[in-house]
Amino acid sequence: MPAKTEQSCWAELLYGKACCLWNCIFAPCVLSFWSCAIYCCGCLRIYATRNAQSTLFKDADFPANAVSLGDLQEDVIWLRATKYARTKSLQLVDETINIHRLCQGASGETWLLSAIACIGERRALHHLFESVERSSRGKYILKLFDGVQQQWQRIIIDDRIPCDRAAYENDKSFHPSFLTNKENDLF
């Protein structure tokens, strides 16, 4: 019968396959090892996974540059909305939108302001978002109905917003260029 190697002896001990005497003597050490291996390593794996996902999301379909703005060649700087929140109690959406809180921006796109006000008055704006919680990554998923395809579409966006460059450079203030609100809602 071949001699057992030291490595195979430890493997038998860790899995409870060693002789009864050795299992009893090393039981506290083996239990400590497995509790650390199961609990601590599991927690570290979850922690590492969450940290890997903590990088800020960037929407590749709508990059933060002049191409995304089209004909509107304003002097803007793209800022993260969650970083420049007015208060720490910033909420993604409010259940209702008071149309008096919305302010038209530089583009003159009143259709957007009207559409948001209509959805807000019906208390349906929060239904457009898959989650109404603030995202630490700046990633949000909208559900919009596509009339051409006759189905709901999932649209993934980030929280980068074109803002007035002069206001930011003067006093680091957050002034969105196109649509703002007077309250503490992100969208």
Side-chain angles (χ1 to χ4, degrees):
M1 185 161 136
K4 292 184 181 179
T5 64
E6 186 178 324
Q7 188 176 19
S8 68
C9 289
W10 284 110
E12 286 179 354
L13 185 64
L14 286 175
Y15 292 103
K17 295 180 181 177
C19 74
C20 186
L21 177 66
W22 291 117
N23 284 338
C24 290
I25 292 172
F26 286 101
C29 297
V30 171
L31 287 174
S32 297
F33 169 78
W34 282 116
S35 64
C36 286
I38 292 169
Y39 181 75
C40 295
C41 293
C43 290
L44 288 174
R45 183 180 44 81
I46 291 170
Y47 180 73
T49 303
R50 287 187 180 169
N51 278 343
Q53 294 175 351
S54 68
T55 57
L56 293 174
F57 174 72
K58 293 182 181 180
D59 186 355
D61 295 332
F62 191 78
N65 58 33
V67 174
S68 296
L69 298 178
D71 295 336
L72 302 170
Q73 297 298 325
E74 293 191 19
D75 193 22
V76 298
I77 185 168
W78 293 78
L79 301 174
R80 292 269 179 187
T82 52
K83 184 178 178 185
Y84 291 95
R86 292 183 189 100
T87 67
K88 292 191 183 234
S89 64
L90 176 82
Q91 50 190 1
L92 180 61
V93 290
D94 194 357
E95 287 189 18
T96 62
I97 287 194
N98 182 348
I99 58 172
H100 301 292
R101 294 185 339 196
L102 297 174
C103 302
Q104 182 177 335
S107 68
E109 299 288 348
T110 56
W111 64 269
L112 178 61
L113 183 66
S114 300
I116 291 173
C118 287
I119 293 171
E121 283 187 354
R122 295 191 181 271
R123 299 177 183 245
L125 189 61
H126 64 280
H127 292 296
L128 297 179
F129 289 88
E130 272 194 8
S131 173
V132 292
E133 302 210 5
R134 225 170 111 179
S135 168
S136 61
R137 293 187 61 211
K139 180 179 180 179
Y140 298 97
I141 301 174
L142 288 162
K143 298 175 291 188
L144 297 175
F145 189 76
D146 185 345
V148 175
Q149 295 183 4
Q150 294 292 309
Q151 63 184 4
W152 288 93
Q153 300 290 325
R154 291 177 74 231
I155 301 169
I156 301 172
I157 61 171
D158 61 28
D159 67 346
R160 294 181 293 176
I161 297 176
C163 297
D164 182 23
R165 182 181 295 277
Y168 177 75
E169 289 175 353
N170 288 341
D171 59 359
K172 301 291 184 207
S173 60
F174 180 78
H175 294 285
S177 296
F178 301 106
L179 182 64
T180 62
N181 64 27
K182 296 177 184 175
E183 294 294 324
N184 202 27
D185 300 333
L186 181 54
F187 292 104

